[in-house]
Amino acid sequence: MVKGVFVTNEVSSAASHDAGFATRVRSALAWRWGTQVLAQLITWTSTFGVIRILDPADYGLFAMTQAILTALAFMNGYSFATSLIQADNISDRRVGQVFGMLIVAGVMLAVGQLLLAPYAAAYYGQPKVEDMLQVQAVIFLATPFIALPSALLARRIEFRSQGLVNLLCAITGASVALGMAWAGYGVWALVFAPIAMAAVRAIGLTISARLLVWPVFDFRGAWDIISFGGALTLCQLLWIVQSQSDIFIAGRVFSAYDVGIYSTALFLALIISGKFIPPINEVTFPALAELHKGGKPVAPFFIRMLRTVALVTAPLYIGLSVTADAVVPTIAGEKWAEMIPILAGLALAMPFFALQIVCSPATNAIGKPRIYVATSAAGAIIFPTVFLFGISGGPMGLVHAWWIASPLLLAVTLALTLPAIQIRIGDLLKELLPALVGCAIMAGSVLLLKPLVAGLAAPLQLLILVPIGGFAYGASLWVFWPSVMRETWSMLRNRSSDANDIPVSA
């Protein structure tokens, strides 16, 4: 009898822990993703206003500097801070050592960018790039006060304060960018907005995390931090090679105008995967790490998350592709008309890209960063290679390169990731089928109706086509997969539709 009571209590305790974990994860997702959506709405409003004021050449110059800044950023020490998330235990000394590493890295990168600026300007043949890079170097000095508190808050799966800080940053950046552009500062509006955001984020996160530790510059006994962080740093380097190779290659071959057209189209295409997926990863990584440390399988949680990402991002991208000829004039004006086919083409590659991005937290959480290194290496080889071949076709040649590289990298990533977390490809494809069918029905509906509204102004076309496409997509899911529709909506609303809404046990 005693044994029965003990077992019952144990099961009850485990169930309570699982329910509490699920609630924490849903709350974290709601805050991190919800505030990200609001922040992006603010940023988009400002960005679309700035795009109408500035010229494509301004965005071309800014993209050239971003390729350099991002290329250096892999050494900013973020990955050392990330090591605190998956560690079993941390002490004040351990946190201080990470803080010290971040400070050393930030100062070295700021000095390095100052010295590199004139050579980058000579490479691009754009003297203004030197001044822009020298001013942007200050961003690296704020990194320690962003990376460390972010990691400490993520370890506790606390994203409410991070979300609020992000909202404040969005308001700050939007105000600076739009105000300076309106005042006639040109490309400098794009330079100073991220600097202002970095300053606000550093102050806000430091206060939120109650970071009171002093930096420790004695790194003895920190080999585990260095080894784990080193693996992620290598991945970051490989990611930068993958993500910046198109601008680095095109910047020397294309005019600033063509670089501006392509880079702005890429920016718009990456808004969803580049802005909404990383917050999901920020929550997924500590959540999966906690599951793994508790001896629970990560596969159910991961596959549900992958399905949710597909259901949300795929229709947005396919919809963007089939309505690009109305989207570009509406948000950017007629002077950006050359961007229409580029944006439409890039949007077709982005669903594959979004799915690939959400795979790395799973393998990192189970202590297998080598898989992340391998997939990052694959991306660093695949993307520059296809860009080198595609560059001869101009901006559209780079778009065609995306069509090859993005699905290929996803295939490599899944081939390495799924066996590690014990998921069969057939099970994954079954989960992704609703998004595939729904997008096909949605695209077909919009394409059938486009000729009927072709004579209307671009904004009016969107007012008609977007609701119709959304209705077609939602109706197809509701008719063929109503349970999937309910589960996904419940997760996005931070509510549990049933006991398996967020699976945390076998």
Side-chain angles (χ1 to χ4, degrees):
M1 187 68 178
V2 173
K3 181 178 180 180
V5 172
F6 176 79
V7 171
T8 301
N9 290 340
E10 187 179 55
V11 172
S12 176
S13 176
S16 176
H17 175 271
D18 286 353
F21 176 78
T23 300
R24 288 166 58 208
V25 173
R26 282 193 297 271
S27 176
L29 280 171
W31 273 104
R32 188 62 183 93
W33 203 12
T35 53
Q36 182 75 2
V37 170
L38 293 176
Q40 285 308 305
L41 288 176
I42 295 169
T43 301
W44 289 348
T45 303
S46 169
T47 298
F48 298 153
V50 173
I51 285 177
R52 287 181 170 272
I53 298 172
L54 302 184
D55 295 323
D58 291 324
Y59 280 88
L61 290 172
F62 182 68
M64 294 175 191
T65 65
Q66 289 303 287
I68 302 299
L69 190 148
T70 307
L72 293 174
F74 83 95
M75 296 182 292
N76 62 15
Y78 255 96
S79 48
F80 296 130
T82 303
S83 68
L84 297 175
I85 298 176
Q86 59 84 45
D88 292 332
N89 297 289
I90 59 174
S91 62
D92 286 346
R93 174 177 171 79
R94 181 57 55 91
V95 175
Q97 286 178 321
V98 170
F99 198 12
M101 293 177 187
L102 289 168
I103 291 175
V104 170
V107 172
M108 291 179 62
L109 287 175
V111 173
Q113 183 158 306
L114 289 173
L115 298 176
L116 184 61
Y119 299 100
Y123 171 81
Y124 288 125
Q126 300 286 346
K128 201 169 187 177
V129 165
E130 178 179 353
D131 296 333
M132 293 168 65
L133 283 173
Q134 288 176 341
V135 172
Q136 289 169 321
V138 71
I139 291 177
F140 289 118
L141 300 180
T143 299
F145 304 94
I146 297 174
L148 183 57
S150 294
L152 294 175
L153 289 169
R155 178 181 172 83
R156 302 194 292 264
I157 316 183
E158 295 179 8
F159 287 89
R160 180 177 181 274
S161 55
Q162 290 199 57
L164 295 175
V165 170
N166 283 339
L167 279 177
L168 182 58
C169 288
I171 295 171
T172 301
S175 301
V176 172
L178 194 56
M180 291 187 67
W182 186 264
Y185 286 95
V187 71
W188 291 105
L190 304 177
V191 172
F192 280 99
I195 293 175
M197 292 175 69
V200 171
R201 180 172 283 113
I203 295 171
L205 290 177
T206 299
I207 294 173
S208 299
R210 301 177 295 278
L211 184 61
L212 302 175
V213 66
W214 286 97
V216 175
F217 297 101
D218 179 2
F219 302 134
R220 289 176 295 181
W223 174 247
D224 57 334
I225 297 176
I226 296 173
S227 59
F228 183 89
L232 297 188
T233 298
L234 176 58
C235 293
Q236 181 69 10
L237 170 61
L238 296 171
W239 164 254
I240 288 168
V241 172
Q242 170 189 322
S243 63
Q244 299 300 315
S245 55
D246 51 353
I247 299 298
F248 189 76
I249 294 169
R252 192 172 177 86
V253 178
F254 295 174
S255 66
Y257 178 89
D258 284 340
V259 173
I261 290 290
Y262 169 79
S263 63
T264 304
L266 183 61
F267 164 78
L268 294 175
L270 287 173
I271 282 178
I272 299 170
S273 63
K275 300 299 183 181
F276 292 162
I277 301 301
I280 294 177
N281 283 359
E282 290 177 20
V283 176
T284 301
F285 175 51
L288 293 178
E290 184 168 324
L291 285 177
H292 180 67
K293 286 184 286 188
K296 299 180 180 295
V298 302
F301 184 100
F302 173 76
I303 201 169
R304 185 71 58 86
M305 188 63 64
L306 208 64
R307 186 187 70 186
T308 301
V309 168
L311 287 169
V312 174
T313 61
L316 294 176
Y317 275 128
I318 301 303
L320 176 61
S321 181
V322 296
T323 60
D325 53 347
V327 170
V328 171
T330 298
I331 66 175
E334 294 296 336
K335 68 180 178 180
W336 291 86
E338 292 181 43
M339 187 169 66
I340 293 174
I342 300 172
L343 178 60
L346 288 171
L348 293 177
M350 291 302 149
F352 301 97
F353 194 61
L355 290 176
Q356 191 272 332
I357 292 174
V358 296
C359 289
S360 60
T363 51
N364 287 340
I366 62 176
K368 295 183 178 180
R370 291 184 179 181
I371 295 178
Y372 185 27
V373 173
T375 57
S376 299
I381 295 172
I382 293 171
F383 274 81
T385 301
V386 296
F387 287 147
L388 285 171
F389 281 99
I391 197 72
S392 60
M396 281 305 299
L398 295 181
V399 173
H400 298 152
W402 271 93
W403 290 355
I404 297 171
S406 195
L408 182 57
L409 180 58
L410 175 60
V412 172
T413 300
L414 292 178
L416 296 175
T417 302
L418 297 186
I421 56 179
Q422 300 179 350
I423 294 178
R424 293 176 296 186
I425 185 64
D427 293 336
L428 177 61
L429 293 177
K430 182 180 178 181
E431 295 290 337
L432 299 181
L433 184 61
L436 178 62
V437 173
C439 284
I441 294 174
M442 177 195 70
S445 302
V446 172
L447 291 174
L448 284 174
L449 289 172
K450 282 188 71 174
L452 302 179
V453 299
L456 300 177
L460 291 178
Q461 292 184 40
L462 291 179
L463 286 176
I464 296 172
L465 296 176
V466 170
I468 290 175
F471 176 79
Y473 181 74
S476 65
L477 293 182
W478 186 257
V479 170
F480 298 111
W481 293 279
S483 61
V484 170
M485 187 77 167
R486 287 193 296 268
E487 290 172 7
T488 302
W489 180 244
S490 296
M491 177 178 286
L492 294 177
R493 293 183 64 201
N494 190 31
R495 293 183 181 179
S496 179
S497 60
D498 54 52
N500 297 316
D501 183 42
I502 294 184
V504 294
S505 60

PDB file of all heavy atoms in Angstrom, residues 97-111:
ATOM      1  N   GLN A  97      33.953  35.268 -15.395  1.00  0.00           N
ATOM      2  CA  GLN A  97      34.881  34.883 -16.458  1.00  0.00           C
ATOM      3  C   GLN A  97      34.271  35.113 -17.834  1.00  0.00           C
ATOM      4  O   GLN A  97      34.931  35.612 -18.750  1.00  0.00           O
ATOM      5  CB  GLN A  97      35.284  33.413 -16.291  1.00  0.00           C
ATOM      6  CG  GLN A  97      36.246  33.161 -15.144  1.00  0.00           C
ATOM      7  CD  GLN A  97      36.570  31.687 -14.990  1.00  0.00           C
ATOM      8  OE1 GLN A  97      35.694  30.825 -15.146  1.00  0.00           O
ATOM      9  NE2 GLN A  97      37.816  31.386 -14.673  1.00  0.00           N
ATOM     10  N   VAL A  98      33.000  34.745 -17.987  1.00  0.00           N
ATOM     11  CA  VAL A  98      32.323  34.990 -19.263  1.00  0.00           C
ATOM     12  C   VAL A  98      32.253  36.489 -19.537  1.00  0.00           C
ATOM     13  O   VAL A  98      32.492  36.937 -20.666  1.00  0.00           O
ATOM     14  CB  VAL A  98      30.909  34.375 -19.249  1.00  0.00           C
ATOM     15  CG1 VAL A  98      30.113  34.823 -20.471  1.00  0.00           C
ATOM     16  CG2 VAL A  98      30.994  32.853 -19.212  1.00  0.00           C
ATOM     17  N   PHE A  99      31.958  37.272 -18.519  1.00  0.00           N
ATOM     18  CA  PHE A  99      31.901  38.722 -18.661  1.00  0.00           C
ATOM     19  C   PHE A  99      33.258  39.253 -19.131  1.00  0.00           C
ATOM     20  O   PHE A  99      33.346  40.107 -20.031  1.00  0.00           O
ATOM     21  CB  PHE A  99      31.501  39.336 -17.323  1.00  0.00           C
ATOM     22  CG  PHE A  99      30.989  40.752 -17.415  1.00  0.00           C
ATOM     23  CD1 PHE A  99      30.664  41.328 -18.635  1.00  0.00           C
ATOM     24  CD2 PHE A  99      30.816  41.504 -16.262  1.00  0.00           C
ATOM     25  CE1 PHE A  99      30.178  42.632 -18.711  1.00  0.00           C
ATOM     26  CE2 PHE A  99      30.333  42.804 -16.319  1.00  0.00           C
ATOM     27  CZ  PHE A  99      30.023  43.361 -17.546  1.00  0.00           C
ATOM     28  N   GLY A 100      34.324  38.748 -18.527  1.00  0.00           N
ATOM     29  CA  GLY A 100      35.672  39.170 -18.920  1.00  0.00           C
ATOM     30  C   GLY A 100      35.985  38.815 -20.359  1.00  0.00           C
ATOM     31  O   GLY A 100      36.571  39.613 -21.108  1.00  0.00           O
ATOM     32  N   MET A 101      35.618  37.603 -20.770  1.00  0.00           N
ATOM     33  CA  MET A 101      35.836  37.200 -22.159  1.00  0.00           C
ATOM     34  C   MET A 101      35.099  38.115 -23.133  1.00  0.00           C
ATOM     35  O   MET A 101      35.628  38.497 -24.186  1.00  0.00           O
ATOM     36  CB  MET A 101      35.369  35.753 -22.355  1.00  0.00           C
ATOM     37  CG  MET A 101      36.175  34.708 -21.614  1.00  0.00           C
ATOM     38  SD  MET A 101      35.469  33.047 -21.847  1.00  0.00           S
ATOM     39  CE  MET A 101      36.471  32.093 -20.714  1.00  0.00           C
ATOM     40  N   LEU A 102      33.869  38.471 -22.775  1.00  0.00           N
ATOM     41  CA  LEU A 102      33.069  39.334 -23.638  1.00  0.00           C
ATOM     42  C   LEU A 102      33.680  40.723 -23.766  1.00  0.00           C
ATOM     43  O   LEU A 102      33.696  41.312 -24.855  1.00  0.00           O
ATOM     44  CB  LEU A 102      31.647  39.440 -23.082  1.00  0.00           C
ATOM     45  CG  LEU A 102      30.774  38.190 -23.202  1.00  0.00           C
ATOM     46  CD1 LEU A 102      29.523  38.337 -22.351  1.00  0.00           C
ATOM     47  CD2 LEU A 102      30.396  37.936 -24.645  1.00  0.00           C
ATOM     48  N   ILE A 103      34.189  41.256 -22.665  1.00  0.00           N
ATOM     49  CA  ILE A 103      34.797  42.591 -22.698  1.00  0.00           C
ATOM     50  C   ILE A 103      36.057  42.587 -23.558  1.00  0.00           C
ATOM     51  O   ILE A 103      36.266  43.484 -24.390  1.00  0.00           O
ATOM     52  CB  ILE A 103      35.100  43.085 -21.276  1.00  0.00           C
ATOM     53  CG1 ILE A 103      33.776  43.376 -20.537  1.00  0.00           C
ATOM     54  CG2 ILE A 103      35.978  44.324 -21.300  1.00  0.00           C
ATOM     55  CD1 ILE A 103      33.957  43.745 -19.084  1.00  0.00           C
ATOM     56  N   VAL A 104      36.903  41.591 -23.379  1.00  0.00           N
ATOM     57  CA  VAL A 104      38.121  41.492 -24.186  1.00  0.00           C
ATOM     58  C   VAL A 104      37.778  41.400 -25.666  1.00  0.00           C
ATOM     59  O   VAL A 104      38.357  42.096 -26.511  1.00  0.00           O
ATOM     60  CB  VAL A 104      38.957  40.269 -23.749  1.00  0.00           C
ATOM     61  CG1 VAL A 104      40.096  40.021 -24.735  1.00  0.00           C
ATOM     62  CG2 VAL A 104      39.517  40.485 -22.344  1.00  0.00           C
ATOM     63  N   ALA A 105      36.813  40.554 -25.986  1.00  0.00           N
ATOM     64  CA  ALA A 105      36.412  40.376 -27.380  1.00  0.00           C
ATOM     65  C   ALA A 105      35.834  41.666 -27.958  1.00  0.00           C
ATOM     66  O   ALA A 105      36.159  42.043 -29.098  1.00  0.00           O
ATOM     67  CB  ALA A 105      35.393  39.249 -27.498  1.00  0.00           C
ATOM     68  N   GLY A 106      35.011  42.361 -27.195  1.00  0.00           N
ATOM     69  CA  GLY A 106      34.386  43.580 -27.696  1.00  0.00           C
ATOM     70  C   GLY A 106      35.388  44.672 -27.999  1.00  0.00           C
ATOM     71  O   GLY A 106      35.308  45.335 -29.042  1.00  0.00           O
ATOM     72  N   VAL A 107      36.334  44.870 -27.096  1.00  0.00           N
ATOM     73  CA  VAL A 107      37.354  45.906 -27.310  1.00  0.00           C
ATOM     74  C   VAL A 107      38.227  45.562 -28.515  1.00  0.00           C
ATOM     75  O   VAL A 107      38.526  46.428 -29.355  1.00  0.00           O
ATOM     76  CB  VAL A 107      38.209  46.075 -26.045  1.00  0.00           C
ATOM     77  CG1 VAL A 107      39.393  46.999 -26.320  1.00  0.00           C
ATOM     78  CG2 VAL A 107      37.373  46.622 -24.896  1.00  0.00           C
ATOM     79  N   MET A 108      38.646  44.313 -28.623  1.00  0.00           N
ATOM     80  CA  MET A 108      39.494  43.914 -29.737  1.00  0.00           C
ATOM     81  C   MET A 108      38.772  44.085 -31.079  1.00  0.00           C
ATOM     82  O   MET A 108      39.375  44.520 -32.066  1.00  0.00           O
ATOM     83  CB  MET A 108      39.938  42.465 -29.557  1.00  0.00           C
ATOM     84  CG  MET A 108      40.908  42.244 -28.411  1.00  0.00           C
ATOM     85  SD  MET A 108      41.395  40.506 -28.218  1.00  0.00           S
ATOM     86  CE  MET A 108      42.203  40.205 -29.802  1.00  0.00           C
ATOM     87  N   LEU A 109      37.497  43.755 -31.124  1.00  0.00           N
ATOM     88  CA  LEU A 109      36.746  43.882 -32.368  1.00  0.00           C
ATOM     89  C   LEU A 109      36.546  45.346 -32.744  1.00  0.00           C
ATOM     90  O   LEU A 109      36.609  45.698 -33.934  1.00  0.00           O
ATOM     91  CB  LEU A 109      35.400  43.178 -32.243  1.00  0.00           C
ATOM     92  CG  LEU A 109      35.455  41.647 -32.243  1.00  0.00           C
ATOM     93  CD1 LEU A 109      34.077  41.070 -31.988  1.00  0.00           C
ATOM     94  CD2 LEU A 109      35.994  41.136 -33.567  1.00  0.00           C
ATOM     95  N   ALA A 110      36.283  46.199 -31.757  1.00  0.00           N
ATOM     96  CA  ALA A 110      36.115  47.623 -32.054  1.00  0.00           C
ATOM     97  C   ALA A 110      37.392  48.202 -32.651  1.00  0.00           C
ATOM     98  O   ALA A 110      37.354  48.925 -33.660  1.00  0.00           O
ATOM     99  CB  ALA A 110      35.725  48.374 -30.781  1.00  0.00           C
ATOM    100  N   VAL A 111      38.529  47.884 -32.048  1.00  0.00           N
ATOM    101  CA  VAL A 111      39.811  48.359 -32.570  1.00  0.00           C
ATOM    102  C   VAL A 111      40.084  47.759 -33.949  1.00  0.00           C
ATOM    103  O   VAL A 111      40.542  48.448 -34.872  1.00  0.00           O
ATOM    104  CB  VAL A 111      40.945  48.007 -31.590  1.00  0.00           C
ATOM    105  CG1 VAL A 111      42.306  48.350 -32.200  1.00  0.00           C
ATOM    106  CG2 VAL A 111      40.757  48.750 -30.274  1.00  0.00           C
TER     107      VAL A 111
END
